[in-house]
Amino acid sequence: MTRRRLSTRARLGLFLQAQGRCRICSRLLTPGTRWEIDHVVPLALGGADAHDNLQVLCAPCHSGKTATLDLPAIAKAERIRARHLGAARPRRPMQGGRASKWKRTVDGRVVERLKDPV
Ligand SMILES: [Zn+2]
């Protein structure tokens, strides 16, 4: 998805639609208050660069949303994608776990797990 630069008219339209208030904290955005246009669903998560995916936020709320919601969600999506495509580094099995080749018997001995117990 490409990010297009919003025209002044489009920014004004969004501002008036939001009735001059931040969508998160409802603060009135008076002249001089820094406010920004936010993608509700981030572009990196497949959100559209379209009017219905944009909202007006004050600068603190925008940076807060980006840092606490958007970036972690994007990072998680990247981890899931890497694992899905097999690009993720294979994990070493937890020592003594079900995937390890060793197991502890009920009497306390550590023995090699049988490959195919049929
Ligand atoms: Zn706010």
Side-chain angles (χ1 to χ4, degrees), residues 67-82:
T68 63
L69 295 175
D70 296 347
L71 292 181
I74 291 166
K76 182 169 187 175
E78 283 175 1
R79 289 194 301 274
I80 291 171
R81 185 157 194 255

Side-chain angles (χ1 to χ4, degrees), residues 22 24-25 27 58 61:
C22 168
I24 290 179
C25 68
R27 176 147 68 113
C58 69
C61 284

